[in-house]
Amino acid sequence: MSAPPCAIRPASETDLSGLLALYGELNPADPPLDHAFGADRFKAILAHPGMTVFIGFVGEIAAASVTLVIVPNLTRGASPYALIENVVTSSAFRRRGLAGALIAHAIAEAWSAGCYKVMLLTGSKDPATLRFYENCGFRQDKTGYQIRRP
């Protein structure tokens, strides 16, 4: 099945409920957040330098998300590195290429920012999930998954 049209953009304060719905699918055992606490924490995330939560929208629906963190560095000629976290696609939109598109977008942003590598950690042991990350270009080593700048 081909991917539905997906508009990718950085999250804004108005995206909190859609993002929390996605995160509910990512970690269903997590307790629900108090709304005021969640809104306060989300403002802190949005204000954090180098941290961007990208959301893929299908129409008006927040269908997938990925968080990119660009970390300043003093090695590698002071080139930063990047971390990808909280990769999730709504169950209604899975297996349509949305997560792959978001990861590709985040990686492109990391290269544009001069990062020398992008790392991804996962707690998943699901072979399909691990294959998915490898199909996105990540290679597993003893510390997790990473891609080196081409």
Side-chain angles (χ1 to χ4, degrees), residues 5 15 19 28 31 45 47 51 55 58 60-62 68 72 76 86 90 93 110 121-122 134 147 149:
D15 295 319
L19 194 58
I45 288 168
M51 185 174 200
I55 302 178
V58 175
E60 299 295 316
I61 300 169
L68 175 70
R76 307 286 181 158
N86 294 334
S90 169
F93 294 97
L121 297 175
T122 180
E134 289 172 359
I147 298 174
R149 186 178 180 99

Side-chain angles (χ1 to χ4, degrees), residues 13-137:
E13 284 186 38
T14 60
D15 295 319
L16 179 59
S17 6
L19 194 58
L20 288 177
L22 284 170
Y23 289 165
E25 292 192 49
L26 179 63
N27 295 307
D30 281 0
L33 285 178
D34 169 76
H35 181 75
F37 178 73
D40 191 52
R41 183 57 51 99
F42 190 45
K43 284 180 188 176
I45 288 168
L46 294 174
H48 196 286
M51 185 174 200
T52 307
V53 177
F54 291 105
I55 302 178
F57 288 89
V58 175
E60 299 295 316
I61 300 169
S65 181
V66 65
T67 299
L68 175 70
V69 180
I70 297 175
V71 182
N73 189 24
L74 288 174
T75 64
R76 307 286 181 158
S79 294
Y81 58 92
L83 306 169
I84 289 181
E85 182 60 77
N86 294 334
V87 178
V88 60
T89 301
S90 169
S91 59
F93 294 97
R94 289 188 184 146
R95 301 193 185 282
R96 298 183 189 183
L98 299 177
L102 276 160
I103 288 175
H105 183 84
I107 291 168
E109 290 289 321
W111 296 155
S112 292
C115 293
Y116 78 94
K117 70 178 176 180
V118 179
M119 297 181 290
L120 179 142
L121 297 175
T122 180
S124 177
K125 305 288 187 233
D126 180 354
T129 300
L130 303 179
R131 245 187 338 272
F132 165 73
Y133 290 134
E134 289 172 359
N135 289 337
C136 288

